[in-house]
Amino acid sequence: MTTLTPPAAGTPHLTRWLIRLHRPALLFWTAVVVTVSGVLLWLGGPLADASAAAWRAYNACRTATCAYDQAAILHYKDVYTYTTYAVLAAPFLVAAWAGAALTGREVETGTARLAWTQSTSPLRWFASRLALPAAVVTAGTGLLVLLHHLAWSAGKGRIDSLKSWYDLPTFYANGPVVVALALAGLVAGALAGLLRRGSLPALVAGLGFTGLLWYGVQLAIPHLWTTSTAVVGLRRFAPAGGGLGVDEGIVTATGAHVSNPTCANSENVECLAFYDKFDAVGWYRDYHPASHYWPLQLTATALVLALTALLTLLAFRLLHRETGLRKGRSA
């Protein structure tokens, strides 16, 4: 296998070298963004119009034999699901590539060390590996999130089967937290490439970190903003509190809240015994209404970006320490 000679020092040279080295990945990312963007525009335009017309015809039905375009409704639903998960896959694609190719392959083949000794410093080399990909990832993922949000908004009040804002895949695909997760995946993958010294281990490590971070975000988001609370009497229906649910349970005679998401104001034997045990007088539900969407999204995005900055600082410090030790030993 032929080893490409690193370019001379200088930011323009490093940028051209990076584009040349990772041109297939750049073309693939561009193709993914353009394709998904086109489908999202189709989803929010002709598909949304066709599905809305079908729902109007369905709701106007007064007989069992009236006609409506069921295929348009199902087609919209399927395309919406596929594009939503395509947007959510972006952080994992970025993390896998960053670990396997951005740094892992160059460290594994020795190209990185050659560049450090002949053309540029390790810290400058790593900075060049992050700056341009970060811009490309932010632009591409940000465009997908924007178009997904517009496509979803085009169906509000028109398509009865449209996912609610708090449906978890929709919640994430509609907001900037996905962009922050993609940047975190980029840095995590690049850091894994430095530490694991192999493409495949770094790929797995980058994917694993991104998955764990996303899981942590899902656990944390409901608690990043003060919830609203709905309360009803015990023998009435449980409070609707339409939105992102956080907790629910009974209200005792003293006004205390005791969590119990399983009974939901049911009157079976087990639930009646539970109500009597705690002297229940009502039922409560803590939730986030639609007005909390952007506070939750922006707070989660800020936290993920802060973690990404810490990972970046850690990567630079580790690289500086490692290369500094090697220089000391060689001296």
Side-chain angles (χ1 to χ4, degrees), residues 168-258:
L168 286 183
T170 297
F171 179 89
Y172 289 106
N174 269 353
V177 70
V178 171
V179 182
L181 285 166
L183 289 173
L186 172 70
V187 176
L191 176 58
L194 294 177
L195 296 176
R196 304 300 298 175
R197 304 185 185 285
S199 297
L200 183 58
L203 183 152
V204 174
L207 284 176
F209 174 85
T210 304
L212 287 174
L213 177 58
W214 202 321
Y215 179 69
V217 168
Q218 290 184 49
L219 292 179
I221 270 187
H223 309 287
L224 296 179
W225 206 256
T226 304
T227 59
S228 298
T229 302
V231 178
V232 297
L234 187 63
R235 296 298 182 258
R236 295 173 55 196
F237 292 110
L244 182 64
V246 178
D247 187 29
E248 61 184 44
I250 60 168
V251 181
T252 69
T254 62
H257 289 186
V258 180

Side-chain angles (χ1 to χ4, degrees), residues 152-165:
W152 175 80
S153 299
K156 288 179 64 176
R158 303 171 63 206
I159 299 174
D160 292 7
S161 59
L162 183 71
K163 295 293 186 181
S164 61
W165 70 267

Side-chain angles (χ1 to χ4, degrees), residues 234-288:
L234 187 63
R235 296 298 182 258
R236 295 173 55 196
F237 292 110
L244 182 64
V246 178
D247 187 29
E248 61 184 44
I250 60 168
V251 181
T252 69
T254 62
H257 289 186
V258 180
S259 179
N260 185 320
T262 59
C263 282
N265 231 349
S266 174
E267 295 191 357
N268 59 46
V269 175
E270 292 80 7
C271 289
L272 288 174
F274 176 79
Y275 302 151
D276 291 339
K277 177 182 177 181
F278 290 96
D279 193 17
V281 297
W283 191 265
Y284 76 91
R285 184 171 190 261
D286 295 333
Y287 68 101
H288 291 290

Side-chain angles (χ1 to χ4, degrees), residues 97-109 125 189-190 192-194 197-199 202:
W97 169 75
L102 184 60
T103 56
R105 185 171 60 190
E106 291 193 58
V107 172
E108 184 179 25
T109 60
W125 171 87
L194 294 177
R197 304 185 185 285
S199 297

Side-chain angles (χ1 to χ4, degrees), residues 6-33:
T11 301
H13 293 288
L14 290 174
T15 301
R16 287 195 296 268
W17 167 256
L18 188 64
I19 294 174
R20 178 185 175 190
L21 186 62
H22 297 288
R23 184 177 298 164
L26 178 60
L27 293 175
F28 175 77
W29 175 252
T30 302
V32 168
V33 171

